[in-house]
Amino acid sequence: MDWDQIYFHAKEWVNAAGARIRLSFDETLNIQTKSNANDLVTNMDKEIEQFFISKIRAVYPDHKILGEEGFGDTLENLDGVVWMIDPIDGTMNFIHQQRNFAISLGIYENGIGKIGLIYDVFHDELYHAKRGNGAYLNEKPLAPLKDSTVKESIIALNATWVMENRRIDHNLMIPLVRDARGTRSYGSAALEMVFVATGRVDAYLSMRLSPWDVAAGAVIIEELGGFVTNLRGEKLSFLAQDSLFTANQGLHQSILKDYLKEGRW
Ligand code: 2AM
Ligand code: CA
């Protein structure tokens, strides 16, 4: 497997897709809803996913593809090489703000993350990592993550998880929000993972994400020594929806022990 060649192609295609998305800022979007009135998709989400799929199929016909908009394959396992694509992560931001969204592309082999690319289209910033080779923002290497305590940390999470909800006892979240230095919510899981990778926030928690939302970010954060698990501290399967909890190692361990009460929910 020529991973340098795959890395090269992935970057080339992500850059081309980003350029196409920037052109769309001057076009009228076709906006539709999916599972509910706030679950949005546009013609660009679909076009960009199809763009990636046509490129991958032409060069790597034996690779498999998992894409948010469903133009890829239906997978029962992660055998072989699997490209996990979110053509626009943060679609609501893309529609309302034309910023604060990203292209997210993770490439896995037999379930192991090999390459992660997250492209902040608005800022023309590509965050990328190849397993064992470090993580970068454009050409600049990112520094390994330093441990932090809850009291000195900014934690990214969506306010809905601090209200009564079906996925976690919100009473567990209240002390964490109270004790942290601050909380933030950006509306794009891929960018929130990039913020953990760059130390702009110290942790990110979400109750429900899909494999394509987290595949790229997991490679980048793990390359910098951070931990990526679900809220129970378990490894992610990358085959089904799950919660997500990612942070530098020290903070991950203390939040799991002191706030999420490992195994008690
Ligand atoms: P999306 O924009 O690609 O749909 C918003 O808090 C973050 O959660 C975004 O990364 C968004 O990805 C993701 N998200 C929103 N609704 C989701 C759902 N029903 N299942 C999984 N992820 C979701
Ligand atoms: Ca998406």
Side-chain angles (χ1 to χ4, degrees), residues 34 45 68-69 86-91 212-213:
K34 296 196 278 190
D45 298 68
E68 170 160 29
E69 308 312 334
D86 191 344
I88 300 182
D89 181 68
T91 299
W212 44 79
D213 293 319

Side-chain angles (χ1 to χ4, degrees), residues 1-6 60 62-63 80-81 109-110 114:
M1 198 70 61
D2 187 345
W3 285 102
D4 285 333
Q5 191 207 48
I6 296 172
Y60 302 110
D62 55 334
H63 290 188
V81 178
E109 186 184 38
N110 299 323
K114 292 287 192 174

